[in-house]
Amino acid sequence: QVQLVESGGGSVQDGGSLKLSCAASANTLSGLCLAWFRQVPGKEREGVAKIFASTGKSYFGDSVKGRFTISQDNAKKTVYLQMNNLKSEDTAMYYCAARVGVCRTPPSEYNYWGQGTQVTVSS
């Protein structure tokens, strides 16, 4: 069982930056894929970024490439999502998720979820 706790959400103006954190209760991040998804009411959950902790290989959704980065701190068992040049369309609830094994795309492939943190970007 892996518990995930997100933090770092908030309100920012267009073009601003935020850094989200996801702390995992796992003994180690090794072997886990940790992902960030986002969701707005009435829409499906969208994959934003994910990282396979064993190798550091990362993946990004098309809408955030070049603006968002994902990183990990193995000692703190924490994954970060650095979001730069934020736009109003980035407004959403952001969720951290984890699965054992390589990264997959569908949210249904992830067994563990955090409670979410709200990001609001105003123009």
Side-chain angles (χ1 to χ4, degrees):
Q1 190 78 5
V2 178
Q3 293 183 327
L4 304 169
V5 179
E6 303 103 330
S7 60
S11 297
V12 65
Q13 289 194 324
D14 208 30
S17 298
L18 281 174
K19 186 174 184 177
L20 305 183
S21 300
C22 173
S25 67
N27 290 329
T28 177
L29 296 182
S30 180
L32 295 177
C33 175
L34 293 121
W36 288 96
F37 292 85
R38 64 187 182 187
Q39 190 169 25
V40 296
K43 292 191 175 181
E44 292 187 353
R45 200 162 286 192
E46 174 192 8
V48 175
K50 47 188 180 279
I51 186 167
F52 184 51
S54 297
T55 63
K57 176 71 174 174
S58 58
Y59 311 82
F60 297 91
D62 288 340
S63 61
V64 306
K65 281 180 183 175
R67 300 188 297 123
F68 291 12
T69 59
I70 189 169
S71 60
Q72 63 191 73
D73 185 326
N74 293 328
K76 294 183 178 180
K77 292 179 283 184
T78 298
V79 170
Y80 303 98
L81 183 69
Q82 177 67 48
M83 305 184 293
N84 297 326
N85 191 20
L86 282 160
K87 306 174 182 180
S88 56
E89 51 263 44
D90 295 315
T91 295
M93 183 70 80
Y94 283 71
Y95 296 92
C96 179
R99 70 183 307 276
V100 177
V102 297
C103 293
R104 303 286 188 199
T105 298
S108 59
E109 293 283 345
Y110 292 79
N111 308 97
Y112 308 105
W113 290 84
Q115 80 287 354
T117 186
Q118 177 69 36
V119 171
T120 303
V121 184
S122 56
S123 55

